[in-house]
Amino acid sequence: MASKGVLFLIEKRQPHTALVPQCLGMTGHRMSAQVIHQVEEELDEDEKEVILFLCRDLAPDLTTKLDLRDLLCTLNEKGKLPPAGLAELLYRVRRFDLLKKIMKTDKASVEASLIRYPKLVSDYRVLMTQLSEDMDKSEVTSFIFLLRDYIGGGKPYKNKSFLDVVIELEKVNLIAPDKLDLLEKCLKNIHRIDLKKKIQKYKQSALETNYVNVIQADPFYGLKLKNGIKKEERPTFGQCGISTEPVKLSIQESRKSLPQMADDIYRLRSQPLGICLIIDCIGNDAETLRATFTSLGFEVQCHQCLRAEEIHKTLCQVACLTSHQDYDIFVCIVISRGNSEGIFGVNHQTYSVFPLHQIKKFFTGDACPLLSGKPKLFFIQNYITAEDQQEPNNLLEVDGGGSKAGNTLWQRSVRSAVPQEADIFWSVCTVNVSVLEKSPNSSSFYLRSLSQLLRRPEERRCSLLSLHTDLNNKIFDWNSRVNPEEQYSILLEHTLRKKIVLSYR
């Protein structure tokens, strides 16, 4: 023990500023024992358990023999734990405070690094930790009971955590990155369909990674399959379906090959991606939404506290912007009090109503030809006022024909090729206005959940429709726990012709 103490004293003399490179993507640096010691002291036992589980693939023979500090030191000495790797581990256990305090970085920088550079932790390990977080003790107990048919009842699984059980199942080859059917079956039996869907997403992501790597390794692979290439001539694949063949193409060259296999995905590669228009007549969600869509690469335009007639004017002005021709997508978010017919803006005392269905008409292919053929996403949060509290409504007359920009001949050719109501994603959420009256400063659960899903890297790789399914689950779960007047109702309609993947750049 004394020698270990001397080791820490010697390494503490190293300057801290040199421990973490400015770019988290750099992997040729090691850390001092001081940093590892600081991190280990700040973590609780559950967080240590998660990190030990995440590191099992890095040191399968050591994770059960060493405590976390010794394991991290060993990985560091072997060059397997660069500063970016330790930052990733802290990110996985959501210790964003330690990212800032010790690693001198932040959540956004780590997320950017995870997208651009190879990850330390496999998607499989991350998935297992997410499942563990989402299961309570009674569900883990039920899960263990269901395993008796496969592992018997003699082993001491009682009081084990979910991750402990996963480790035991890995040892007997009942669970592996490419072997998750048993886990899916057990989750279904304990009625955690939401967690089963996470596994299915993981499997789909592995298949997509498989396909992308094949295309990158050999752009003519698809043609060879059609012409009868022999099975033994095809590329071989390792764990999780990732190609073990060397891929020599640069990142830029890889992106050029993507359209060959992505005809069913909207092209989202402009910088910025597009305009995100936020009209917040309540005042509780604008900043969160601004941060979310800015991080996704949008040019965000935020307008607050508009009257109904000002909403009309703003929509018309945005629809007329010529910059749409340079962008690949458009997003519109509206938050307001309203009724079953439309929204009030801030002048709801005058009972003038802006019809909901008119919002999207400003951006159809006919009204805004520069957005024709491009996806147009609408997210509406409407706080419904009881009908018996209102006077007869005065609906604003609007034509929705916002934009006259563009060449006439080009407009005609586009109109003949693409239906005017195509490429629209329309998500409307309603909740009783009493929610606001009870908590005037509270944010919309619908929009808060949407932001959270969009900002999770694992969700960004999913299609928008899959993400909205997760949003539906969150709303359903919320409604099961609150009074009827606090329940949200969500409606989705869309005319999308392709998938939308917001990180597809």
Side-chain angles (χ1 to χ4, degrees):
M1 293 298 292
S3 62
K4 185 181 290 188
V6 172
L7 173 64
F8 278 99
L9 287 173
I10 292 173
E11 295 200 2
K12 279 184 179 179
R13 296 172 186 168
Q14 299 179 13
H16 186 273
T17 54
L19 300 178
V20 182
Q22 290 182 350
C23 176
L24 281 174
M26 298 174 64
T27 57
H29 295 71
R30 296 185 183 180
M31 296 165 294
S32 77
Q34 177 185 352
V35 171
I36 293 175
H37 181 65
Q38 285 179 308
V39 167
E40 194 267 347
E41 281 193 325
E42 293 280 356
L43 297 171
D44 62 31
E45 292 305 314
D46 290 338
E47 291 165 340
K48 291 177 184 179
E49 178 192 7
V50 172
I51 291 180
L52 283 169
F53 179 84
L54 291 172
C55 292
R56 283 188 64 80
D57 298 328
L58 303 175
D61 298 329
L62 298 177
T63 48
T64 57
K65 299 177 183 178
L66 300 178
D67 61 21
L68 180 62
R69 185 174 66 180
D70 290 338
L71 175 66
L72 294 180
C73 284
T74 301
L75 292 175
N76 187 43
E77 290 165 3
K78 292 183 177 181
K80 293 184 177 181
L81 188 70
L86 182 56
E88 180 184 342
L89 292 175
L90 293 176
Y91 173 83
R92 297 301 182 190
V93 294
R94 294 184 174 84
R95 288 305 301 268
F96 309 128
D97 57 324
L98 299 186
L99 287 177
K100 184 176 182 180
K101 177 182 176 182
I102 299 176
M103 304 301 293
K104 309 304 179 186
T105 185
D106 56 28
K107 177 184 175 184
S109 298
V110 176
E111 289 179 348
S113 178
L114 292 173
I115 294 173
R116 296 181 60 191
Y117 300 98
K119 292 177 286 189
L120 180 76
V121 181
S122 71
D123 290 340
Y124 162 74
R125 295 281 165 200
V126 173
L127 172 66
M128 292 301 109
T129 59
Q130 290 173 348
L131 298 180
S132 177
E133 289 176 0
D134 291 338
M135 295 176 69
D136 59 33
K137 288 185 178 180
S138 64
E139 289 170 331
V140 174
T141 301
S142 299
F143 172 73
I144 293 173
F145 180 82
L146 291 171
L147 291 173
R148 293 170 69 92
D149 292 337
Y150 304 91
I151 57 179
K155 291 191 175 183
Y157 287 107
K158 189 175 181 181
N159 298 324
K160 291 274 189 178
S161 70
F162 176 79
L163 294 181
D164 287 334
V165 177
V166 169
I167 291 171
E168 294 300 323
L169 294 173
E170 288 176 345
K171 290 178 181 179
V172 294
N173 199 32
L174 287 174
I175 287 183
D178 58 350
K179 193 172 184 179
L180 298 172
D181 292 345
L182 173 60
L183 184 54
E184 282 187 80
K185 182 178 180 180
C186 291
L187 291 174
K188 180 181 179 181
N189 287 333
I190 65 173
H191 309 294
R192 289 305 304 267
I193 304 301
D194 56 324
L195 301 187
K196 180 184 175 182
K197 288 181 178 178
K198 283 191 175 184
I199 296 176
Q200 293 170 340
K201 278 187 180 180
Y202 161 80
K203 288 181 174 180
Q204 182 62 34
S205 178
L207 288 174
E208 290 171 359
T209 302
N210 177 334
Y211 192 20
V212 169
N213 281 314
V214 173
I215 295 294
Q216 290 175 337
D218 186 352
F220 300 102
Y221 178 66
L223 295 176
K224 291 179 181 178
L225 287 180
K226 291 180 180 179
N227 291 319
I229 185 172
K230 295 180 181 179
K231 182 178 181 181
E232 57 270 18
E233 295 176 355
R234 300 176 190 175
T236 57
F237 297 89
Q239 192 178 42
C240 296
I242 298 177
S243 174
T244 57
E245 298 289 330
V247 178
K248 299 180 180 179
L249 298 181
S250 67
I251 294 175
Q252 289 78 9
E253 290 169 332
S254 300
R255 284 177 179 169
K256 288 178 181 178
S257 70
L258 284 175
Q260 300 176 30
M261 46 73 67
D263 289 337
D264 64 336
I265 300 178
Y266 284 102
R267 176 190 183 276
L268 299 181
R269 286 184 287 171
S270 62
Q271 296 184 3
L273 284 178
I275 292 173
C276 173
L277 172 64
I278 300 173
I279 299 176
D280 186 359
C281 300
I282 303 299
N284 298 336
D285 291 283
E287 290 310 311
T288 299
L289 293 167
R290 183 199 296 272
T292 296
F293 282 90
T294 298
S295 72
L296 287 171
F298 284 85
E299 174 191 323
V300 179
Q301 297 185 12
C302 189
H303 300 264
Q304 293 183 275
C305 302
L306 301 184
R307 298 189 298 272
E309 57 271 23
E310 291 173 330
I311 293 174
H312 171 268
K313 181 179 179 181
T314 300
L315 292 170
C316 184
Q317 290 174 341
V318 172
C320 290
L321 293 175
T322 57
S323 57
H324 288 306
Q325 66 186 335
D326 301 319
Y327 298 155
D328 291 335
I329 189 172
F330 171 73
V331 174
C332 178
I333 304 172
V334 180
I335 312 152
S336 175
R337 292 177 177 83
N339 61 14
S340 58
E341 295 178 306
I343 54 177
F344 300 149
V346 295
N347 57 336
H348 59 283
Q349 296 299 332
T350 64
Y351 305 108
S352 57
V353 179
F354 186 89
L356 270 182
H357 68 276
Q358 291 287 352
I359 295 175
K360 58 186 173 185
K361 289 192 175 181
F362 285 87
F363 304 96
T364 61
D366 186 41
C368 184
L370 296 180
L371 284 174
S372 185
K374 302 174 183 180
K376 297 162 277 286
L377 318 182
F378 298 86
F379 300 95
I380 315 294
Q381 175 62 78
N382 194 4
Y383 291 92
I384 300 295
T385 302
E387 298 289 345
D388 58 5
Q389 297 177 8
Q390 304 170 32
E391 298 291 334
N393 296 310
N394 177 24
L395 293 176
L396 291 178
E397 293 293 334
V398 295
D399 54 17
S403 176
K404 302 300 181 184
N407 179 276
T408 303
L409 179 61
W410 178 84
Q411 290 183 36
R412 288 174 182 170
S413 64
V414 169
R415 289 172 186 171
S416 62
V418 181
Q420 302 312 306
E421 293 290 339
D423 311 297
I424 289 177
F425 183 92
W426 180 255
S427 176
V428 179
C429 185
T430 57
V431 67
N432 195 290
V433 75
S434 62
V435 170
L436 280 181
E437 295 166 352
K438 184 177 180 180
S439 302
N441 297 320
S442 64
S443 61
S444 158
F445 179 77
Y446 160 72
L447 294 174
R448 185 167 72 247
S449 299
L450 175 66
S451 291
Q452 291 171 350
L453 290 169
L454 286 170
R455 300 188 76 163
R456 288 173 60 178
E458 62 270 21
E459 296 293 348
R460 290 187 187 186
R461 293 192 293 269
C462 299
S463 71
L464 182 62
L465 287 175
S466 296
L467 183 146
H468 203 279
T469 299
D470 290 343
L471 183 59
N472 288 340
N473 285 329
K474 284 181 173 289
I475 295 292
F476 180 81
D477 181 62
W478 169 274
N479 289 346
S480 68
R481 294 183 281 109
V482 299
N483 297 324
E485 62 271 15
E486 298 176 83
Q487 294 180 357
Y488 288 75
S489 176
I490 188 169
L491 169 69
L492 173 65
E493 299 175 348
H494 77 87
T495 55
L496 298 179
R497 297 172 297 139
K498 302 178 183 181
K499 294 179 183 177
I500 296 178
V501 181
L502 289 175
S503 64
Y504 187 71
R505 287 202 294 158

